[in-house]
Amino acid sequence: MKRVLVTGAGGFIGHHLVNYLVDHGYWVRGVDIKRPEYAETRAHEFELLDLRRWANCLQATRGIDEVHNLAANMGGIGFIESYKAEIMHDNVLINIHMLEAARLHGVQRYLYTSSACVYPGYRQESPDVAPLKEEDAYPADPEDGYGWEKLYSERQCRHYTEDYGLETRVVRFHNIYGPLGTYDGGREKSPAALCRKIALAEDGGEIEVWGDGNQTRSYCYIDDCVEGIHRLMRSEHREPLNVGSDRLVTINELVDIVARAAGKTVTRRHDLTKPQGVRGRNSDNSRVRAVLGWEPATELEVGLDRTYGWIQSQLEAAGKLDRGPVAVV
Ligand code: NAD
């Protein structure tokens, strides 16, 4: 039985990945600074450790064959634009220490979870953006703060492979969404935030949308994401690889899909002062299709329907759906 570590196992993707790996016969240790918020972990062992600290990274990697390093201080665009120093500080420390601890403990394979935020701003200036190929990451001009750390850590992985022979795998996620993801508190991303706003709005009410809503993105459902991670870990592909959807939608379209899932009509109030990130971003899936035979299987409408249902039930359980506010921000 392979012994694997999932860091960030108290977070959204990490929690789902633990379930996937347990179901596929792995022995799993989960590590995080917090336990999963919305469901019990199924990891065989779960340790609360701050992975910015070197000694904790050594403890986390003891007796481990493969590391999936998902721990990161992160959030949606509002969060990553506001806490750049903290994000770079924490995430550089986590990845530098985790890589070195993995090397010292003779770990066989190491996954680093990078992001579409590594892609340069100059390729994402229009809503009808050309899908981003892996090689487009250079010449570098990533998202300030969060994206620079991701690009730096990608290279650190490459050098650990070249200099020490540690097998590293790097995945670039494009907007992963689904149930059990953060939906309030300031770290939530657009699909979860819109589900929450629409669940809280009355039928016929108004919701706030950041920017003019014509900015575009693609969204990948969590079940497809963990399948992609697993295939990448089992492959011999050493270069960074996109895992995302290549169906481009505007934020306004995203609102309409969530509203349909909710069975509500809502009007949008666009707040142009709020951060909205790049103008357009899409994943080119040619390489991931060729290398892993992977494609996102879950239609956006289906995934958002499940996500909306889960967020609505959370709000209901918390007694937040009784007030019926007209304008929700
Ligand atoms: P998440 O915030 O739900 O999970 C990250 C987890 O890391 C959290 O549970 C957090 O407590 C933990 N963590 C933070 N600091 C820590 C520390 N010092 N020590 C130990 N644990 C710590 O985020 P997620 O969406 O599950 O993202 C997982 C990984 O995927 C991250 O590396 C993230 O940057 C990357 N990623 C995610 C997306 C996405 O759309 N969700 C997109 C691109 C990249």
Side-chain angles (χ1 to χ4, degrees):
M1 208 179 194
K2 242 188 222 312
R3 293 172 64 90
V4 302
L5 169 66
V6 176
T7 74
F12 168 49
I13 303 174
H15 177 76
H16 284 277
L17 182 61
V18 166
N19 289 345
Y20 181 99
L21 293 169
V22 169
D23 287 342
H24 285 75
Y26 292 84
W27 182 93
V28 183
R29 176 182 299 145
V31 166
D32 203 299
I33 39 170
K34 64 171 175 67
R35 296 193 77 85
E37 259 168 85
Y38 309 112
E40 256 315 303
T41 184
R42 289 173 55 213
H44 298 93
E45 234 177 63
F46 192 97
E47 296 187 28
L48 288 173
L49 294 172
D50 182 344
L51 296 173
R52 290 170 298 185
R53 309 271 170 264
W54 166 238
N56 290 341
C57 293
L58 276 178
Q59 185 176 330
T61 48
R62 72 197 188 284
I64 286 295
D65 301 315
E66 296 185 355
V67 170
H68 304 76
N69 188 27
L70 281 81
N73 186 353
M74 63 92 69
I77 189 70
F79 183 81
I80 64 173
E81 288 213 348
S82 308
Y83 300 99
K84 291 176 192 160
E86 179 186 309
I87 286 171
M88 289 194 85
H89 171 270
D90 289 2
N91 296 345
V92 163
L93 285 179
I94 292 170
N95 290 301
I96 283 284
H97 289 334
M98 281 300 300
L99 263 173
E100 180 63 6
R103 177 178 84 89
L104 289 181
H105 275 142
V107 163
Q108 294 154 14
R109 226 159 245 224
Y110 183 100
L111 175 79
Y112 176 63
T113 49
S114 185
S115 165
C117 289
V118 300
Y119 288 113
Y122 60 80
R123 288 194 185 273
Q124 305 174 82
E125 287 169 347
S126 151
D128 62 347
V129 58
L132 293 155
K133 291 186 176 40
E134 284 78 358
E135 59 268 31
D136 291 339
Y138 295 94
D141 176 25
E143 185 92 29
D144 212 1
Y146 179 72
W148 273 108
E149 182 278 324
K150 291 291 188 198
L151 203 57
Y152 166 79
S153 295
E154 284 191 1
R155 292 192 82 85
Q156 190 69 0
C157 287
R158 174 170 144 183
H159 298 313
Y160 264 66
T161 303
E162 288 167 353
D163 295 359
Y164 302 130
L166 173 61
E167 285 288 338
T168 58
R169 300 289 177 268
V170 173
V171 62
R172 291 181 184 153
F173 294 141
H174 291 246
N175 292 312
I176 312 303
Y177 74 98
L180 309 184
T182 304
Y183 63 89
D184 63 4
R187 286 180 187 258
E188 64 277 18
K189 299 179 141 205
S190 50
L194 292 173
C195 286
R196 185 198 71 234
K197 290 177 185 185
I198 290 173
L200 290 172
E202 279 181 348
D203 192 14
E206 185 182 76
I207 62 154
E208 181 190 87
V209 174
W210 290 9
D212 64 6
N214 292 321
Q215 66 271 36
T216 53
R217 295 290 185 277
S218 69
Y219 296 93
C220 177
Y221 191 64
I222 183 67
D223 292 358
D224 298 327
C225 164
V226 292
E227 173 68 30
I229 293 174
H230 188 242
R231 287 196 197 188
L232 176 59
M233 278 300 263
R234 301 278 53 89
S235 83
E236 294 313 308
H237 189 76
R238 294 197 177 97
E239 299 297 319
L241 202 58
N242 287 333
V243 161
S245 163
D246 53 7
R247 174 178 166 193
L248 196 64
V249 292
T250 66
I251 296 297
N252 287 334
E253 285 165 345
L254 193 67
V255 171
D256 293 343
I257 297 172
V258 176
R260 271 199 298 279
K264 291 183 185 179
T265 307
V266 291
T267 52
R268 301 182 290 256
R269 180 163 45 81
H270 294 284
D271 187 342
L272 303 182
T273 67
K274 290 281 169 39
Q276 48 176 297
V278 292
R279 198 65 184 141
R281 175 176 289 158
N282 197 6
S283 176
D284 184 310
N285 284 352
S286 319
R287 187 159 304 151
V288 67
R289 219 178 280 125
V291 171
L292 303 183
W294 177 92
E295 260 187 297
T298 313
E299 277 296 319
L300 186 56
E301 284 75 4
V302 172
L304 282 175
D305 193 54
R306 290 179 198 154
T307 308
Y308 178 81
W310 177 76
I311 291 176
Q312 189 197 32
S313 68
Q314 289 290 302
L315 291 168
E316 229 160 48
K320 291 185 178 162
L321 287 190
D322 309 334
R323 290 175 288 137
V326 176
V328 183
V329 292

